[in-house]
Amino acid sequence: SSTGLDVRAHAFAPTAEVADPSLTIEGAERRLDELLDAAVRTHLVADVPVCLTLSGGLDSTLLGMLLRQQAGTGLVSYVVGDDPTHPDVVQAQRVARTLGFEHRTVWFDFPQYLAALPASVLASETFEDGVAQFMLFRELGRDFRVCLNSDGADELFGGYPEHWFADRHVARIREA
């Protein structure tokens, strides 16, 4: 094209792994553990330092634990917040300290939030509020090019009630 961009289409399809009806809960847990471990390992194949976003929730804590096992304590973790007493900020600091990570908090106030809103909307792929996350990635991008993040785990594992009714959510997005 005249823009000099190389456009490629990617189709993502489920793997050929077929569900085994005889699989026990323990076997499923082991398989999930293997898959998560392999996913983290593949994302650590980078020729630059890797960091982690950490909210202190189950998904990011699990990711942090896997990273700690595979890469040691020399990792940097980040959280974003507007209040030092926010539960995510407090818990992320606690998890980072427990795992031995260097932990950084990206702070913002309401004027900074408003100023980041247009760029965040432009960069967004969903209708969700991603302004704080946009500011987080903009800041950590000053020091890192690779960041592991547990976004998608709640959607995959049904972590919130709104994910139990994904068809309704998609219908609302289509209407919007």
Side-chain angles (χ1 to χ4, degrees):
S1 79
S2 62
T3 63
L5 296 177
D6 181 14
V7 180
R8 296 181 184 144
H10 294 280
F12 296 96
T15 64
E17 189 169 319
V18 178
D20 178 358
S22 67
L23 189 64
T24 64
I25 293 291
E26 293 78 17
E29 288 175 353
R30 277 193 303 277
R31 183 66 182 130
L32 178 60
D33 189 45
E34 291 168 4
L35 291 169
L36 290 172
D37 190 69
V40 170
R41 197 168 302 284
T42 61
H43 285 83
L44 284 177
V45 179
D47 55 359
V48 294
V50 173
C51 70
L52 164 72
T53 59
L54 192 59
S55 70
L58 288 176
D59 50 357
S60 69
T61 300
L62 176 60
L63 181 56
M65 291 171 65
L66 290 167
L67 277 170
R68 170 71 164 77
Q69 289 172 358
Q70 294 182 19
T73 58
L75 290 166
V76 176
S77 59
Y78 284 85
V79 70
V80 64
D82 62 348
D83 178 354
T85 64
H86 189 284
D88 284 359
V89 172
V90 172
Q91 187 63 13
Q93 291 168 339
R94 186 176 297 135
V95 169
R97 188 171 43 252
T98 301
L99 295 175
F101 296 161
E102 177 189 331
H103 189 66
R104 302 174 186 174
T105 303
V106 176
W107 297 109
F108 68 91
D109 58 22
F110 190 63
Q112 290 169 316
Y113 183 94
L114 285 179
L117 193 54
S120 172
V121 169
L122 186 63
S124 180
E125 295 178 356
T126 69
F127 291 104
E128 306 295 326
D129 177 16
V131 181
Q133 190 173 48
F134 173 82
M135 291 188 286
L136 170 66
F137 286 120
R138 182 177 61 189
E139 184 61 33
L140 70 81
R142 300 179 202 282
D143 295 321
F144 291 91
R145 290 289 166 248
V146 177
C147 176
L148 277 76
N149 151 333
S150 59
D151 269 6
D154 290 318
E155 293 81 355
L156 182 63
F157 293 109
Y160 293 108
E162 60 264 27
H163 300 132
W164 305 341
F165 308 104
D167 54 338
R168 295 181 199 167
H169 186 65
V170 170
R172 281 197 309 272
I173 289 173
R174 283 192 176 127
E175 288 172 19

